[in-house]
Amino acid sequence: MISATRLEAASAAVTVLSNRTEVTDWSARYFGQWWNASAVDATQVCAGAVLVADVDPTGYAELTLQVHDGRHTEEVEYARHRMLVARDGEDIIATSPDESIAYRSSPASGRLVLSGVGVIELALAAARLAREAIRGQLLRDGWAVLHASAVVRPADKATILAFGGKGAGKTTTALLLASSGWQLLANDRVLVRPTGENGVEVVPWPSAAAVGLGLLDGLGWGAAARDHVMDGGTFHPTQHEAVTEALLTGDFTPLWEQGKRREMKVQVFPDQWPELFDVLLATEGRAAALLFPRVDAESSPDVVDGGGVPGLGEDDFMSGATEDRYPDVFELARGVDGGGQRSARDEVSARLALLPHQRVRLSHDVTASVAALRKIAEAI
């Protein structure tokens, strides 16, 4: 029996079909809280972008052999897995031996077919590519992708965008405000498009959110996370087992990868925000202010006056260069850069430049950091 889930975000849509309900259920769960996800009759799906993801070992073997039949191949890294990519006429074919999944993309029709061996691996891959199919449509329709977190005020959809490099405090800013009544729209990136005379509309980019153990506990969410895993619940499968073990033991000391290159964090599904932490999610907003946070553990949190407030640069947009985890090997964006068309990015930058900009200093004192952010939020 074939199941189908239709995903819609702004003007874009894609339908995921599979011979395993686990695959379509995963896409519905992953995107349903931020994008519109609905079960549809698979027999009625005949137009638009379609992604077929079947557990089909024979299909995987046959398509993998076709990739290796002597034609020119290119080796790329996709979602941290090795992938071999080739051409079959106008189609793009590929195989990922690490995932045991083979791919066929038909850019002209918007159809993408995945054949795999393991249902979990297939569900993850289908969700990734469904999201990329949505992004490709939105990029072609004039949207851009900002490297920012975002929260929305429920009363009027006013949206605060937080910018900064890795570790600056974008996610921390969003979660601190989300813990005090704002709705979470994005933790790391967000889709934006000029609207009206001067506006910028905002929609979510669904993804698992990475939250440090110390921040999770400081926000008062540690007990809920521990109870969840104690009861047999799980977080996103990308979460390191050491983090899960720490939750089970109630140890919220930050964990670091070997050499302290990167903190290992709790990986929260979108639907777990309201379920576990009572954080509501926003589905849209309008840009109202820009924050540039900086986390300084030893200082007092406060609004930072003087010194000038930075504008947006190239690094504040995602791009084909920065989005190296998901290169557009299947031509879903049809040549548009991963951060959006240059004209869209320039217009978004110009409009955001007219909005209030503010630097803010945060610390590990959650209460004081929330107070500093509220001071800014109440003025918007």
Side-chain angles (χ1 to χ4, degrees):
M1 181 176 178
I2 304 299
S3 60
T5 294
R6 182 175 174 82
L7 308 172
E8 297 177 306
S11 58
V14 63
T15 305
V16 180
L17 296 93
S18 180
N19 61 357
R20 296 291 294 269
T21 57
E22 296 96 324
V23 173
T24 51
D25 286 350
W26 185 277
S27 288
R29 179 191 183 188
Y30 203 79
F31 301 116
Q33 295 290 316
W34 266 317
W35 291 348
N36 181 36
S38 58
V40 295
D41 184 352
T43 64
Q44 300 300 310
V45 178
C46 57
V50 174
L51 188 154
V52 181
D54 285 343
V55 174
D56 180 6
T58 300
Y60 164 69
E62 291 177 349
L63 191 48
T64 296
L65 285 174
Q66 192 172 1
V67 172
H68 289 285
D69 69 357
R71 67 189 70 213
H72 173 74
T73 61
E74 178 185 3
E75 182 172 324
V76 301
E77 185 176 285
Y78 194 93
R80 296 178 179 167
H81 294 291
R82 185 171 66 94
M83 179 183 287
L84 293 174
V85 184
R87 285 275 179 180
D88 183 31
E90 294 185 353
D91 287 358
I92 300 151
I93 57 176
T95 185
S96 173
D98 296 342
E99 301 172 288
S100 297
I101 299 173
Y103 305 79
R104 176 179 290 275
S105 173
S106 304
S109 66
R111 187 176 181 86
L112 188 60
V113 177
L114 284 64
S115 299
V117 175
V119 66
I120 298 301
E121 293 82 0
L122 191 65
L124 289 168
R128 283 195 299 264
L129 284 170
R131 185 173 58 188
E132 291 302 310
I134 291 281
R135 173 163 61 169
Q137 293 174 50
L138 292 177
L139 293 179
R140 300 196 306 272
D141 200 27
W143 291 76
V145 184
L146 283 175
H147 187 201
S149 69
V151 289
V152 175
R153 184 163 55 200
D156 59 1
K157 305 296 184 184
T159 301
I160 293 176
L161 298 165
F163 294 88
K166 189 174 182 62
K170 297 187 300 297
T171 297
T172 298
T173 297
L175 295 182
L176 290 172
L177 284 168
S179 71
S180 58
W182 287 64
Q183 295 178 340
L184 182 64
L185 186 138
N187 68 290
D188 187 61
R189 68 191 69 183
V190 65
L191 289 151
V192 289
R193 182 175 69 169
T195 183
E197 291 186 9
N198 295 302
V200 175
E201 60 181 315
V202 187
V203 298
W205 174 256
S207 66
V211 187
L213 287 163
L215 177 59
L216 190 80
D217 192 44
L219 287 166
W221 299 337
R226 183 172 186 267
D227 289 346
H228 177 64
V229 294
M230 290 287 288
D231 291 340
T234 60
F235 288 98
H236 194 276
T238 56
Q239 179 171 296
H240 195 282
E241 60 183 14
V243 176
T244 304
E245 288 298 321
L247 289 174
L248 286 169
T249 60
D251 184 357
F252 294 96
T253 305
L255 292 172
W256 297 87
E257 292 181 347
Q258 187 175 6
K260 288 198 170 184
R261 297 190 311 273
R262 184 172 63 177
E263 185 179 359
M264 295 186 292
K265 300 181 179 182
V266 180
Q267 302 289 332
V268 184
F269 273 108
D271 67 339
Q272 290 176 329
W273 286 114
E275 175 188 328
L276 297 179
F277 308 127
D278 200 29
V279 170
L280 299 181
L281 303 183
T283 59
E284 61 181 352
R286 58 170 186 83
L290 282 64
L291 292 187
F292 297 86
R294 176 173 60 87
V295 178
D296 185 342
E298 305 303 323
S299 299
S300 298
D302 202 355
V303 173
V304 179
D305 295 320
V309 179
L312 297 189
E314 286 296 312
D315 290 345
D316 294 308
F317 287 88
M318 304 306 295
S319 71
T322 59
E323 188 54 277
D324 54 0
R325 284 185 64 189
Y326 308 111
D328 191 22
V329 294
F330 299 112
E331 299 183 2
L332 301 174
R334 301 183 196 175
V336 179
D337 182 83
Q341 301 172 33
R342 169 54 61 185
S343 59
R345 284 182 284 174
D346 288 347
E347 184 61 24
V348 166
S349 291
R351 294 186 180 203
L352 292 181
L354 301 175
L355 298 176
H357 289 45
Q358 184 64 64
R359 292 182 186 270
V360 60
R361 183 176 61 244
L362 306 174
S363 77
H364 292 171
D365 184 335
V366 169
T367 301
S369 294
V370 169
L373 290 170
R374 280 180 172 171
K375 182 188 300 186
I376 297 171
E378 289 169 1
I380 295 173

